[in-house]
């Protein structure tokens, strides 16, 4: 159980801490950096595939594989509640960010079908 706790703490701190620090260095606002860091926990499917490869190739034993699978599931499952918590804590004066491309500027090629969309 101690091994699981250490792996969970290392995974969460490593993924979220590293992402948050990089996002802040890239001048992202604190809230956006926290959301991005939280989203790093959602890569559980990729982890499960790699863990299966590691188990089959003999790089991981069954005990370590089991601990790592639990870590992948827990870190992925905690993402939704953490994002909800971050959304609730956003002040009313801090509006939700606009989706990319939602500004009023015209988009190049807007209104014309792409060449692959035509039926000849």
């Amino acid at each position: 159980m101690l091994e699981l706790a250490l792996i969970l703490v290392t995974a969460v701190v490593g993924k979220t801490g590293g992402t948050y620090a990089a996002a802040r260095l890239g001048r992202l606002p604190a809230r956006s950096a926290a959301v991005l860091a939280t989203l790093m926990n959602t890569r559980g499917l990729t982890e499960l595939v790699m863990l299966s490869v590691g188990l089959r190739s003999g790089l991981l034993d069954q005990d370590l594989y089991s601990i790592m699978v639990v870590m992948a599931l827990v870190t992925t499952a905690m993402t939704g509640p953490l994002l909800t918590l971050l959304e609730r804590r956003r002040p009313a004066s801090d509006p939700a960010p606009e989706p990319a491309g939602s500004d009023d500027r015209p988009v190049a090629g807007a209104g014309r079908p792409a060449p692959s969309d035509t039926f000849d």
Side-chain angles (χ1 to χ4, degrees):
M1 206 53 151
L2 178 63
E3 289 174 333
L4 175 59
L6 289 173
I7 287 175
L8 272 170
V9 167
T10 302
V12 170
V13 170
K15 288 188 275 189
T16 58
T19 303
Y20 182 83
R24 292 296 288 154
L25 284 172
R27 297 192 176 118
L28 228 55
R31 180 167 311 283
S32 296
V35 168
L36 184 61
T38 301
L39 288 171
M40 282 302 294
N41 280 327
T42 63
R43 46 189 198 89
L45 181 59
T46 304
E47 290 171 342
L48 292 176
V49 169
M50 296 307 295
L51 289 171
S52 294
V53 169
L55 180 65
R56 289 188 183 141
S57 65
L59 296 172
L60 300 173
D61 64 12
Q62 188 64 46
D63 289 340
L64 183 57
Y65 171 79
S66 299
I67 290 171
M68 297 298 281
V69 166
V70 170
M71 179 271 305
L73 295 174
V74 168
T75 57
T76 298
M78 68 191 276
T79 301
L82 284 175
L83 288 174
T84 300
L85 180 66
L86 286 169
E87 181 64 25
R88 276 193 212 147
R89 289 189 171 183
R90 185 176 62 204
S93 62
D94 183 17
E98 296 272 337
S102 66
D103 57 6
D104 294 328
R105 292 180 295 167
V107 177
R112 294 183 307 195
S116 61
D117 292 338
T118 59
F119 301 100
D120 293 324

